[in-house]
């Protein structure tokens, strides 16, 4: 297996979504762009690659969890030449950062995402013959990712795979107790934390009893001077 350490050149504007290339041509210096010329077009030919790249921007779920931009992403790829094009099978490994949805503490977890994508030859149909335009082909072509000058961009495929591998509700640990719903104290730090429950049906009566008790004390305080005067007489 050949190992390559790629640079950090990255152009996220090339794809508006997976499989739909814009007019910008692929840049062979982009670490997520791979060249298939060495593989050739003979069906059955194989090539294995290992490459470490810098994570592109917005690789994850917005405001939930994601792989920080520029952090290392390890790629292991298997390129296979078939009649239709190049079948790419691979695995991406990286570390994602986010926030626990229960206790709101920062968290970090390892992500492993598997993917497979077919990059088609632009001049061949599914039987490997020269492709001629036919009615209705335009809609089908929109779902295909063609090779460009024998190269393909892995970024949209990598992005889709990582997003699917990330949890929608990440937790720091499976038994995270979260926060107290009344005061926000972390229940992980203070498992015995609790609030005395007040039955709202008796709350009004308790308030009335407290006010009556206060009134009785005031009456007793006001009566004491009169009692003293009688005793003096």
């Amino acid at each position: 297996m050949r190992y390559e350490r790629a640079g950090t050149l990255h152009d996220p504007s090339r794809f508006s979504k997976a499989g739909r290339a814009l007019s910008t041509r692929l840049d062979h210096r982009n670490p997520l762009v791979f060249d298939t010329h060495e593989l050739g077009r003979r069906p059955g030919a194989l090539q294995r690659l290992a490459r470490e790249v810098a994570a592109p921007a917005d690789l994850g779920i917005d405001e939930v969890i994601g792989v920080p931009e520029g952090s290392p992403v390890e790629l292991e790829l298997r390129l296979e030449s078939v009649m239709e094009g190049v079948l790419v099978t691979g695995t991406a490994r990286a570390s994602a950062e986010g926030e626990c949805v229960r206790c709101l503490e920062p968290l970090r977890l390892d992500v492993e995402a598997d993917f497979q994508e077919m990059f088609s030859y632009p001049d061949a149909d599914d039987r490997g013959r020269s492709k001629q335009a036919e009615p209705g082909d335009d809609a089908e072509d929109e779902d295909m990712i063609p090779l460009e000058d024998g190269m393909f961009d892995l970024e949209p495929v990598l992005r889709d795979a990582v997003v699917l591998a990330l949890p929608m509700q990440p937790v720091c640990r499976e038994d995270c107790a979260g926060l107290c719903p009344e005061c926000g104290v972390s229940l992980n730090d203070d498992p015995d934390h609790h609030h005395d429950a007040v039955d709202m049906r008796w709350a009004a009566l308790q308030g009335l009893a407290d006010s009556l008790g206060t009134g009785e004390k005031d009456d007793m305080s006001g009566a004491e001077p009169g009692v003293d005067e009688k005793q003096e007489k």
Side-chain angles (χ1 to χ4, degrees):
M1 181 181 294
R2 187 177 66 188
Y3 183 84
E4 304 175 8
R5 184 176 181 85
T8 58
L9 183 62
H10 167 62
D11 181 10
S13 64
R14 183 179 302 110
F15 282 84
S16 57
K17 61 186 296 186
R20 302 201 177 180
L22 301 180
S23 59
T24 307
R25 296 179 64 85
L26 296 182
D27 187 343
H28 67 89
R29 297 170 297 175
N30 186 327
L32 287 171
V33 170
F34 292 81
D35 194 326
T36 66
H37 285 100
E38 185 177 337
L39 174 67
R41 295 185 61 164
R42 180 176 60 84
L46 295 174
Q47 184 180 13
R48 296 181 184 275
L49 299 173
R51 179 179 294 186
E52 182 179 292
V53 302
D58 303 321
L59 186 60
I61 305 172
D62 290 344
E63 299 182 358
V64 178
I65 189 170
V67 180
E69 181 178 2
S71 62
V73 178
E74 296 179 1
L75 298 174
E76 291 183 3
L77 304 180
R78 178 179 183 270
L79 279 59
E80 180 180 1
S81 179
V82 295
M83 295 292 290
E84 302 91 338
V86 176
L87 180 64
V88 178
T89 305
T91 301
R93 298 182 180 87
S95 292
E97 297 179 0
E99 186 179 82
C100 177
V101 296
R102 297 180 186 171
C103 66
L104 306 182
E105 289 294 326
L107 61 82
R108 185 183 183 92
L109 57 83
D110 294 330
V111 181
E112 183 172 312
D114 297 323
F115 53 85
Q116 186 175 73
E117 188 66 52
M118 171 70 72
F119 294 89
S120 64
Y121 297 127
D123 59 347
D125 63 10
D126 57 359
R127 293 175 296 279
R129 297 196 296 264
S130 177
K131 185 174 182 179
Q132 297 179 354
E134 296 180 1
D137 280 352
D138 291 343
E140 182 179 350
D141 289 345
E142 288 183 356
D143 297 328
M144 300 176 65
I145 307 180
L147 290 167
E148 183 179 312
D149 297 330
M151 298 184 295
F152 65 87
D153 188 351
L154 192 66
E155 182 181 333
V157 178
L158 173 64
R159 190 179 301 280
D160 290 346
V162 170
V163 168
L164 290 175
L166 291 172
M168 290 295 295
Q169 294 187 320
V171 292
C172 58
R173 65 184 198 223
E174 291 299 326
D175 61 345
C176 176
L179 303 177
C180 172
E182 295 189 33
C183 65
V185 168
S186 174
L187 300 180
N188 295 320
D189 299 334
D190 186 4
D192 297 327
H193 174 80
H194 70 281
H195 294 270
D196 293 331
V198 177
D199 191 332
M200 297 305 296
R201 293 172 298 179
W202 299 102
L205 293 177
Q206 183 63 44
L208 178 60
D210 292 342
S211 62
L212 291 175
T214 303
E216 291 177 356
K217 290 181 180 180
D218 292 341
D219 293 342
M220 293 179 63
S221 299
E224 287 178 358
V227 172
D228 293 340
E229 290 177 0
K230 293 179 180 179
Q231 291 177 351
E232 290 176 358
K233 292 178 180 180

